Amino acid sequence: MWPALIPGKTYLASGFLKPRKGDVIIFRNPKNSDEVLVKRIVDGQDHGYKVDGTVSWASSSNDFGRVPRECVRGKILGLTMFSRFDILCA
């Protein structure tokens, strides 16, 4: 399975929209706040999101637990025309 996001491409993210199941989110790793991850939501509940990578070898909630809502920085909206930044957060 190929990654959903392509290295070198630029994606626009927004912290203003509520993430839902199936959305790709940007978040701080709950076990290492210096690490920022991008994963797809597979389940969302009051106490956080269960996330999974888009490739079989990627880390997931099985490795670091559910992602608390306060760790989420935003959700990916779509492709942009920018070339100098990897991910932009609005």
Side-chain angles (χ1 to χ4, degrees):
M1 179 180 199
W2 289 101
L5 300 177
I6 301 166
K9 294 285 186 178
T10 301
Y11 300 92
L12 180 64
S14 173
F16 298 111
L17 301 173
K18 182 179 178 181
R20 296 186 222 151
K21 182 178 178 179
D23 287 341
V24 176
I25 59 171
I26 302 167
F27 61 94
R28 295 214 176 267
N29 183 336
K31 292 195 174 183
N32 177 4
S33 63
D34 293 332
E35 184 177 32
V36 176
L37 301 171
V38 179
K39 305 287 179 192
R40 185 174 307 277
I41 297 173
V42 293
D43 184 35
Q45 296 179 356
D46 291 337
H47 55 278
Y49 298 105
K50 182 177 179 185
V51 296
D52 201 2
T54 58
V55 292
S56 59
W57 61 85
S59 61
S60 70
S61 288
N62 294 333
D63 301 307
F64 47 77
R66 285 190 174 269
V67 178
R69 295 186 190 282
E70 59 268 12
C71 290
V72 176
R73 311 311 298 155
K75 76 178 194 174
I76 301 289
L77 299 178
L79 299 172
T80 69
M81 298 301 288
F82 301 106
S83 60
R84 295 196 58 169
F85 302 100
D86 292 330
I87 296 177
L88 302 174
C89 295

